[in-house]
Amino acid sequence: MITLHRLAYTILPVLVPFATSLPASEDRPAFSAEDRAWWAIQPLMDPAIPEAGRGWARNPVDHFIARQQQRQGLEPAREAERRALIRRASFDLHGLPPSPEQIEAFLADERPDAWEQLVDGLLQSPRYGEHWALHWLDVVRY
């Protein structure tokens, strides 16, 4: 079953450029240059990755954050300790603190992808679904 949401995202990118190029008529006014410049109907493009953040940026998003920090005269915060990382991730994804066993296992894990493995494990846990199900049930006042 196709939802209205999916239908809109399927058809709108096709119809909007066509509709904005049609000549004006009595029942449909012309689109202004401001209308055509609206961010949502601009074609997708890959922006150039800024040079900011050399030395600490690990992915393209970090470079954009570093550029904005430089513009505002801010310095990046120091990297968090591993114990703080697991607590933050656990509270954010599960709404609960990590168990002492989880903390010790993460602190002892020397693999280069230990952080990614931790986050993947938290996302795959049923606790993740329970935490966000409660959140959305509260939002809809169930």
Side-chain angles (χ1 to χ4, degrees):
M1 180 177 154
I2 191 160
T3 63
L4 183 60
H5 177 75
R6 184 177 294 169
L7 182 66
Y9 279 102
T10 304
I11 294 176
L12 281 179
V14 175
L15 293 180
V16 169
F18 174 73
T20 58
S21 65
L22 291 174
S25 67
E26 291 179 17
D27 54 331
R28 194 187 59 75
F31 288 96
S32 68
E34 183 182 355
D35 293 334
R36 288 188 193 92
W38 189 39
W39 68 268
I41 60 172
Q42 298 305 308
L44 297 177
M45 66 173 119
D46 289 329
I49 306 297
E51 295 294 321
R54 296 288 180 214
W56 67 268
R58 295 184 181 156
N59 60 53
V61 173
D62 289 344
H63 291 283
F64 287 98
I65 292 170
R67 180 179 66 186
Q68 193 64 24
Q69 284 179 333
Q70 284 178 351
R71 287 180 181 166
Q72 295 181 9
L74 301 172
E75 293 290 322
R78 64 179 173 79
E79 191 168 327
E81 297 174 0
R82 290 174 65 97
R83 186 177 301 272
L85 286 175
I86 188 171
R87 285 185 55 80
R88 291 175 186 173
S90 183
F91 274 114
D92 189 40
L93 297 176
H94 288 182
L96 298 168
S99 69
E101 295 81 20
Q102 289 173 318
I103 294 173
E104 292 308 316
F106 180 64
L107 293 177
D109 192 350
E110 297 295 329
R111 295 178 297 176
D113 66 340
W115 172 247
E116 288 83 3
Q117 294 295 324
L118 171 73
V119 172
D120 286 344
L122 291 171
L123 290 172
Q124 292 171 1
S125 167
R127 303 296 94 55
Y128 175 70
E130 292 167 359
H131 174 65
W132 287 104
L134 287 172
H135 167 74
W136 287 110
L137 288 170
D138 285 345
V139 169
V140 298
R141 298 174 189 246
Y142 183 74

